Amino acid sequence: MWRGIEVVKNESDPKAPAHVELSEQLDDSVLMPGDVTIDVEYSSLNYKDGIALTGKPGIVREPRLIAGIDLVGVVSESTDDRYFAGQRVLVNGCGLSETHHGGYAERARVPGDWVVPVPASISNQHAAAIGTAGFTAMLSVLALERGGVTGDVLVTGAAGGVGSVAIALLSRLGFSVTASTGRAEEHDYLRQLGATTIIDRAELSVQPRALMKQRWNGAIDAVGGSTLASAIAATHYGGTVTACGNAQSSELQTSVMPFILRGVSLVGINSVFTPRALRLEAWSRLESDLDLSALEGTTSTIALSDTIAAGADIIAGRIRGRTVIDVRR
Ligand SMILES: NC(=O)c1ccc[n+]([C@@H]2O[C@H](COP(=O)([O-])OP(=O)(O)OC[C@H]3O[C@@H](n4cnc5c(N)ncnc54)[C@H](OP(=O)(O)O)[C@@H]3O)[C@@H](O)[C@H]2O)c1
């Protein structure tokens, strides 16, 4: 028997919040089809996990599903010859907690194509600290690099998971980072991560004119809405802005002017369906370019039994940086 956090939808009333519970009596008969069976050690808490853990609609698409969009652990059995028993592996996204049982459990079984070996110099706990948020931050940095961005870069949602890892990566890579945050008490934390300038997120929260004074060569946005519109409107000629999140809003009201007069590119980031080659590239770059001691400063670890409560905290914006879930506790 093993434990897992299950989201149980109310089938008779699809609008009602789902019931979320820590089940103590799960066994391998509940595992879904897959080539690789994993003893899960760690997962992590992402904004999307907060939505599922608070019973809100939009993430879990099965009547009953184990939550958790990330997992890190050790292979116990594999019929896919790319993996062997005892190997350290991870999965980010790929439908975990959406259509397939996720990482908030002591066991998982997944298709081999979803599995990424944990890079040799990254511990399992650090891999979970990076998790989907850090993987998404890396995908965003890769998009800026492909756009030829150098110099000044804006990071929004700075004290959150994606934002924190993006700042650590960018500063290590020599970019000069402007961090946008609503949390005055986190300015020291953001400077320690490597931000050189900090602005109040209220500055970007007002719907901007079509074109604003040019301030940065690129931006990594995790919040959407008028913040993303402001980031685009203040990007220098030829710059790149990445959009991965909607913590402020899913709406985007902008104009074509930044695109046709300044040649700005807007690049969407999706971590769930990232092709395998890009997944492996991103994890290889996380191994070479992320300062793990900076990551440690952003991370706290909680037990599986405390995870349901933490889901409400991330939705309320009360979580700083990254939270690792030790699923064996
Ligand atoms: N596309 C993908 O594949 C992908 C992958 C991962 C995450 N995401 C999305 O990216 C976003 C961030 O994820 P996360 O895990 O980093 O979440 P998180 O840790 O909760 O960070 C979100 C941050 O957004 C800022 N924020 C929250 N509400 C805001 C508002 N009303 N206005 C402006 N800023 C606000 C806060 O930063 P401050 O406190 O510093 O202001 C907060 O810490 C989420 O929308 C998530 O769903 C998408």
Coordinates of all heavy atoms in Angstrom, one line a residue, residues 136-137 139-150 152-156 170 175 204 210 214-245 252 254-255 258-259 262-270:
T136 N 10.3 25.5 -17.3 CA 9.6 26.5 -18.1 C 10.5 27.8 -18.2 O 10.6 28.4 -19.2 CB 8.3 26.8 -17.5 OG1 7.5 25.6 -17.4 CG2 7.5 27.9 -18.3
A137 N 11.2 28.1 -17.0 CA 12.1 29.2 -17.1 C 13.2 29.0 -18.1 O 13.6 29.9 -18.8 CB 12.6 29.5 -15.7
L139 N 13.1 27.0 -20.7 CA 12.5 27.1 -22.1 C 12.4 28.5 -22.5 O 12.7 28.9 -23.7 CB 11.2 26.4 -22.1 CG 11.1 24.9 -21.9 CD1 9.6 24.4 -21.9 CD2 11.9 24.1 -23.1
S140 N 12.1 29.4 -21.6 CA 11.9 30.8 -21.9 C 13.3 31.5 -22.2 O 13.4 32.2 -23.1 CB 11.3 31.6 -20.7 OG 10.1 30.9 -20.3
V141 N 14.3 31.1 -21.4 CA 15.6 31.6 -21.6 C 16.1 31.1 -23.0 O 16.7 31.9 -23.8 CB 16.6 31.2 -20.5 CG1 18.0 31.5 -20.9 CG2 16.2 31.8 -19.2
L142 N 15.9 29.9 -23.3 CA 16.3 29.4 -24.7 C 15.6 30.2 -25.8 O 16.2 30.5 -26.8 CB 15.9 27.9 -24.8 CG 16.8 26.9 -24.0 CD1 16.2 25.5 -24.0 CD2 18.2 26.8 -24.5
A143 N 14.3 30.5 -25.6 CA 13.6 31.3 -26.6 C 14.3 32.7 -26.7 O 14.4 33.2 -27.8 CB 12.2 31.4 -26.2
L144 N 14.7 33.3 -25.6 CA 15.3 34.6 -25.7 C 16.7 34.5 -26.5 O 17.0 35.3 -27.3 CB 15.6 35.2 -24.3 CG 14.4 35.6 -23.4 CD1 14.9 36.4 -22.2 CD2 13.4 36.4 -24.2
E145 N 17.4 33.4 -26.1 CA 18.7 33.2 -26.8 C 18.5 33.0 -28.3 O 19.2 33.6 -29.1 CB 19.4 32.0 -26.3 CG 19.9 32.2 -24.9 CD 20.6 31.0 -24.3 OE1 20.6 29.9 -24.9 OE2 21.3 31.1 -23.2
R146 N 17.4 32.3 -28.7 CA 17.2 32.0 -30.1 C 16.8 33.3 -30.8 O 17.0 33.5 -32.0 CB 16.1 31.0 -30.3 CG 16.8 29.6 -30.0 CD 15.9 28.4 -30.1 NE 16.7 27.3 -29.8 CZ 16.4 26.3 -29.0 NH1 15.2 26.2 -28.5 NH2 17.2 25.3 -28.8
G147 N 16.2 34.3 -30.0 CA 15.8 35.6 -30.6 C 17.0 36.5 -30.6 O 16.9 37.7 -31.0
G148 N 18.2 36.1 -30.1 CA 19.4 36.9 -30.1 C 19.4 38.0 -29.1 O 20.2 39.0 -29.2
V149 N 18.6 37.8 -28.0 CA 18.5 38.8 -27.0 C 19.8 38.8 -26.1 O 20.3 37.7 -25.7 CB 17.3 38.6 -26.1 CG1 17.3 39.5 -24.9 CG2 16.0 38.7 -26.9
T150 N 20.3 40.0 -25.8 CA 21.4 40.2 -24.9 C 21.1 41.4 -24.0 O 20.2 42.1 -24.3 CB 22.8 40.4 -25.6 OG1 22.6 41.6 -26.4 CG2 23.2 39.3 -26.4
D152 N 19.7 43.8 -21.2 CA 18.6 44.0 -20.3 C 17.4 43.1 -20.5 O 16.8 43.1 -21.6 CB 18.1 45.5 -20.3 CG 19.2 46.4 -19.8 OD1 20.0 45.9 -19.0 OD2 19.3 47.5 -20.3
V153 N 16.9 42.4 -19.5 CA 15.7 41.5 -19.6 C 14.8 41.8 -18.4 O 15.3 41.9 -17.3 CB 16.1 40.1 -19.7 CG1 14.9 39.1 -19.6 CG2 16.9 39.8 -21.0
L154 N 13.5 41.8 -18.7 CA 12.5 42.0 -17.6 C 12.0 40.6 -17.3 O 11.8 39.7 -18.2 CB 11.3 42.8 -18.2 CG 10.0 42.8 -17.3 CD1 10.2 43.6 -16.1 CD2 8.8 43.3 -18.1
V155 N 11.8 40.3 -16.0 CA 11.2 39.1 -15.5 C 10.0 39.5 -14.7 O 10.1 40.2 -13.7 CB 12.1 38.2 -14.7 CG1 11.4 37.0 -14.1 CG2 13.3 37.7 -15.5
T156 N 8.8 39.0 -15.0 CA 7.6 39.4 -14.2 C 7.2 38.2 -13.4 O 7.6 37.0 -13.6 CB 6.4 39.7 -15.2 OG1 6.0 38.6 -15.9 CG2 6.8 40.9 -16.1
L170 N 19.2 33.8 -15.8 CA 19.6 35.0 -16.6 C 20.9 35.7 -16.0 O 21.8 36.1 -16.7 CB 18.5 36.0 -16.7 CG 17.3 35.5 -17.5 CD1 16.1 36.4 -17.3 CD2 17.6 35.5 -19.0
F175 N 23.0 38.3 -18.3 CA 22.0 39.3 -18.6 C 21.8 40.2 -17.4 O 22.2 39.9 -16.3 CB 20.6 38.6 -18.8 CG 20.5 37.8 -20.1 CD1 20.9 36.5 -20.1 CD2 20.1 38.3 -21.3 CE1 20.9 35.7 -21.3 CE2 20.0 37.6 -22.4 CZ 20.4 36.3 -22.4
L204 N 3.5 48.0 -14.1 CA 3.2 47.3 -15.4 C 1.7 46.9 -15.5 O 1.2 46.3 -16.5 CB 4.1 46.1 -15.6 CG 5.6 46.3 -15.5 CD1 6.3 45.0 -15.6 CD2 6.0 47.3 -16.6
A210 N 0.1 52.0 -27.1 CA 0.6 51.0 -28.0 C 2.1 50.9 -28.0 O 2.7 49.7 -28.0 CB 0.2 51.4 -29.4
Q214 N 11.3 52.6 -24.7 CA 12.0 51.2 -24.8 C 12.9 51.0 -23.5 O 13.8 51.9 -23.3 CB 12.8 51.1 -26.1 CG 11.8 51.2 -27.3 CD 12.6 51.3 -28.6 OE1 13.3 50.4 -29.0 NE2 12.4 52.4 -29.3
R215 N 12.7 49.9 -22.8 CA 13.4 49.7 -21.6 C 14.2 48.4 -21.5 O 15.1 48.3 -20.7 CB 12.4 49.7 -20.4 CG 11.7 51.0 -20.2 CD 10.6 50.9 -19.2 NE 11.0 50.8 -17.8 CZ 10.2 50.8 -16.8 NH1 8.9 50.8 -16.9 NH2 10.7 50.7 -15.6
W216 N 13.8 47.4 -22.2 CA 14.5 46.1 -22.1 C 14.6 45.5 -23.5 O 13.7 45.8 -24.4 CB 13.9 45.2 -21.1 CG 12.4 45.4 -21.0 CD1 11.4 44.9 -21.9 CD2 11.7 46.0 -20.0 NE1 10.2 45.3 -21.5 CE2 10.3 46.0 -20.3 CE3 12.0 46.7 -18.8 CZ2 9.3 46.5 -19.5 CZ3 11.0 47.2 -18.0 CH2 9.7 47.1 -18.3
N217 N 15.5 44.6 -23.7 CA 15.7 43.9 -25.0 C 14.9 42.6 -25.0 O 14.7 42.0 -26.1 CB 17.2 43.5 -25.2 CG 18.0 44.7 -25.2 OD1 17.6 45.8 -25.7 ND2 19.2 44.6 -24.6
G218 N 14.4 42.1 -23.9 CA 13.6 40.9 -23.9 C 12.9 40.8 -22.5 O 13.2 41.6 -21.6
A219 N 11.9 40.0 -22.5 CA 11.1 39.8 -21.2 C 10.6 38.3 -21.1 O 10.3 37.7 -22.1 CB 9.9 40.7 -21.2
I220 N 10.6 37.9 -19.9 CA 10.0 36.6 -19.5 C 8.8 36.9 -18.7 O 8.9 37.3 -17.6 CB 11.0 35.7 -18.8 CG1 12.2 35.3 -19.8 CG2 10.4 34.4 -18.2 CD1 13.3 34.4 -19.2
D221 N 7.6 36.6 -19.3 CA 6.4 37.0 -18.5 C 5.7 35.7 -18.1 O 5.4 34.8 -18.9 CB 5.5 37.8 -19.4 CG 4.2 38.1 -18.7 OD1 4.2 38.8 -17.7 OD2 3.1 37.6 -19.1
A222 N 5.3 35.7 -16.8 CA 4.6 34.6 -16.2 C 3.2 35.0 -15.8 O 2.5 34.2 -15.2 CB 5.3 34.0 -15.0
V223 N 2.8 36.3 -16.1 CA 1.5 36.7 -15.5 C 0.4 37.1 -16.5 O -0.8 37.2 -16.1 CB 1.7 37.8 -14.4 CG1 2.7 37.3 -13.3 CG2 2.1 39.1 -15.0
G224 N 0.8 37.5 -17.7 CA -0.2 37.8 -18.7 C -0.9 39.2 -18.5 O -0.3 40.0 -17.8
G225 N -2.0 39.4 -19.1 CA -2.8 40.6 -18.9 C -2.1 41.9 -19.3 O -1.2 41.9 -20.2
S226 N -2.4 43.0 -18.5 CA -1.7 44.3 -18.9 C -0.2 44.3 -18.6 O 0.5 45.0 -19.2 CB -2.4 45.4 -18.1 OG -2.4 45.1 -16.7
T227 N 0.2 43.3 -17.7 CA 1.7 43.2 -17.5 C 2.4 42.8 -18.7 O 3.4 43.3 -19.1 CB 1.9 42.2 -16.3 OG1 1.3 42.7 -15.2 CG2 3.4 42.0 -16.1
L228 N 1.8 41.7 -19.4 CA 2.4 41.3 -20.6 C 2.3 42.4 -21.7 O 3.3 42.6 -22.5 CB 1.7 40.0 -21.1 CG 2.2 39.4 -22.5 CD1 3.7 39.2 -22.5 CD2 1.4 38.1 -22.8
A229 N 1.2 43.1 -21.8 CA 1.0 44.1 -22.8 C 2.1 45.2 -22.5 O 2.7 45.7 -23.5 CB -0.4 44.7 -22.7
S230 N 2.3 45.6 -21.2 CA 3.3 46.6 -20.9 C 4.7 46.1 -21.3 O 5.6 46.9 -21.7 CB 3.3 46.9 -19.4 OG 2.0 47.4 -19.1
A231 N 5.0 44.8 -21.0 CA 6.3 44.3 -21.3 C 6.6 44.4 -22.8 O 7.7 44.8 -23.3 CB 6.4 42.8 -20.9
I232 N 5.6 44.1 -23.6 CA 5.7 44.1 -25.1 C 5.9 45.6 -25.5 O 6.8 45.9 -26.4 CB 4.5 43.5 -25.8 CG1 4.4 42.0 -25.5 CG2 4.5 43.8 -27.3 CD1 3.0 41.4 -25.9
A233 N 5.1 46.5 -25.0 CA 5.1 47.9 -25.4 C 6.5 48.6 -25.1 O 6.8 49.6 -25.7 CB 4.0 48.6 -24.8
A234 N 7.2 48.1 -24.1 CA 8.4 48.7 -23.7 C 9.7 47.9 -24.1 O 10.8 48.1 -23.6 CB 8.4 48.9 -22.2
T235 N 9.5 47.0 -25.1 CA 10.7 46.2 -25.5 C 11.4 46.9 -26.7 O 10.7 47.4 -27.6 CB 10.2 44.8 -26.0 OG1 9.6 44.2 -24.8 CG2 11.3 44.0 -26.5
H236 N 12.7 46.9 -26.6 CA 13.5 47.6 -27.7 C 13.3 46.9 -29.0 O 12.9 45.8 -29.1 CB 15.0 47.4 -27.4 CG 15.5 48.5 -26.4 ND1 15.8 49.7 -26.8 CD2 15.8 48.4 -25.1 CE1 16.3 50.4 -25.8 NE2 16.2 49.6 -24.7
Y237 N 13.7 47.7 -30.1 CA 13.6 47.1 -31.5 C 14.3 45.8 -31.5 O 15.4 45.6 -31.0 CB 14.3 48.1 -32.4 CG 14.2 47.7 -33.8 CD1 13.1 48.1 -34.6 CD2 15.1 46.8 -34.4 CE1 13.0 47.6 -35.9 CE2 15.0 46.3 -35.7 CZ 13.9 46.7 -36.4 OH 13.8 46.2 -37.7
G238 N 13.6 44.8 -32.2 CA 14.2 43.5 -32.4 C 14.1 42.5 -31.2 O 14.7 41.4 -31.3
G239 N 13.5 43.0 -30.1 CA 13.5 42.2 -28.9 C 12.5 41.0 -29.0 O 11.7 40.9 -29.9
T240 N 12.6 40.1 -27.9 CA 11.8 39.0 -27.8 C 11.1 38.9 -26.4 O 11.8 39.1 -25.4 CB 12.6 37.6 -28.0 OG1 13.1 37.6 -29.3 CG2 11.7 36.4 -27.8
V241 N 9.8 38.7 -26.4 CA 9.1 38.5 -25.2 C 8.5 37.1 -25.1 O 7.9 36.7 -26.1 CB 7.9 39.6 -25.1 CG1 7.1 39.4 -23.8 CG2 8.5 41.0 -25.2
T242 N 8.7 36.4 -24.0 CA 8.1 35.1 -23.9 C 6.8 35.2 -23.0 O 6.9 35.9 -22.0 CB 9.0 34.0 -23.4 OG1 9.4 34.4 -22.0 CG2 10.3 33.9 -24.2
A243 N 5.8 34.4 -23.3 CA 4.6 34.3 -22.5 C 4.4 32.9 -22.1 O 4.2 32.0 -22.9 CB 3.4 34.9 -23.3
C244 N 4.4 32.7 -20.7 CA 4.1 31.3 -20.3 C 2.9 31.2 -19.3 O 2.4 30.1 -19.0 CB 5.3 30.7 -19.6 SG 5.7 31.3 -18.0
G245 N 2.5 32.4 -18.7 CA 1.5 32.2 -17.6 C 0.4 33.3 -17.6 O 0.4 34.2 -18.4
L252 N -5.1 39.4 -23.2 CA -4.0 40.2 -23.7 C -4.5 41.2 -24.7 O -5.0 40.8 -25.8 CB -2.9 39.3 -24.4 CG -1.8 40.1 -25.0 CD1 -1.0 40.9 -24.0 CD2 -0.8 39.1 -25.8
T254 N -3.3 44.2 -26.8 CA -2.1 44.9 -27.3 C -2.4 45.4 -28.6 O -3.6 45.5 -29.1 CB -0.9 44.0 -27.2 OG1 0.2 44.7 -27.6 CG2 -1.1 42.8 -28.1
S255 N -1.4 46.0 -29.3 CA -1.6 46.5 -30.7 C -0.5 45.9 -31.5 O 0.4 45.3 -31.0 CB -1.5 48.1 -30.6 OG -0.4 48.5 -31.3
P258 N 4.1 47.4 -31.7 CA 5.4 46.9 -31.2 C 6.0 45.8 -32.2 O 7.2 45.7 -32.4 CB 5.1 46.2 -29.9 CG 3.9 46.8 -29.4 CD 3.0 47.1 -30.6
F259 N 5.1 45.1 -32.9 CA 5.5 44.1 -33.8 C 5.9 44.7 -35.2 O 6.9 44.3 -35.7 CB 4.4 43.0 -34.0 CG 3.9 42.5 -32.7 CD1 2.6 42.8 -32.2 CD2 4.7 41.8 -31.8 CE1 2.2 42.4 -31.0 CE2 4.3 41.3 -30.6 CZ 3.0 41.6 -30.2
R262 N 8.6 47.9 -34.3 CA 9.9 47.6 -33.5 C 10.3 46.2 -33.8 O 11.3 45.8 -33.2 CB 9.6 47.8 -32.0 CG 9.5 49.3 -31.7 CD 9.4 49.5 -30.2 NE 9.3 50.9 -29.9 CZ 8.8 51.4 -28.7 NH1 8.5 50.5 -27.7 NH2 8.7 52.7 -28.5
G263 N 9.6 45.4 -34.6 CA 10.1 44.1 -34.9 C 10.1 43.2 -33.7 O 10.9 42.2 -33.6
V264 N 9.3 43.5 -32.7 CA 9.3 42.6 -31.4 C 8.7 41.3 -31.7 O 7.7 41.2 -32.5 CB 8.5 43.4 -30.3 CG1 8.3 42.5 -29.1 CG2 9.3 44.7 -29.9
S265 N 9.2 40.2 -31.2 CA 8.6 38.9 -31.3 C 8.0 38.4 -30.0 O 8.6 38.6 -28.9 CB 9.7 37.8 -31.7 OG 10.3 38.2 -32.9
L266 N 6.8 37.9 -30.1 CA 6.2 37.3 -28.9 C 6.2 35.8 -29.1 O 5.7 35.2 -30.1 CB 4.7 37.8 -28.8 CG 3.8 37.2 -27.7 CD1 4.4 37.5 -26.3 CD2 2.4 37.8 -27.8
V267 N 6.8 35.1 -28.1 CA 7.0 33.6 -28.2 C 6.2 32.9 -27.1 O 6.4 33.2 -25.9 CB 8.5 33.2 -28.1 CG1 8.7 31.7 -28.2 CG2 9.3 34.0 -29.2
G268 N 5.3 32.0 -27.5 CA 4.6 31.3 -26.5 C 5.4 30.1 -26.0 O 6.2 29.5 -26.7
I269 N 5.3 29.8 -24.6 CA 6.1 28.7 -24.0 C 5.1 27.7 -23.5 O 4.2 28.1 -22.7 CB 6.9 29.3 -22.9 CG1 7.9 30.4 -23.3 CG2 7.7 28.1 -22.2 CD1 9.0 29.9 -24.3
N270 N 5.2 26.5 -23.9 CA 4.4 25.4 -23.3 C 5.3 24.3 -22.9 O 6.0 23.7 -23.7 CB 3.4 24.9 -24.4 CG 2.5 23.8 -23.8 OD1 3.0 22.6 -23.7 ND2 1.3 24.0 -23.5

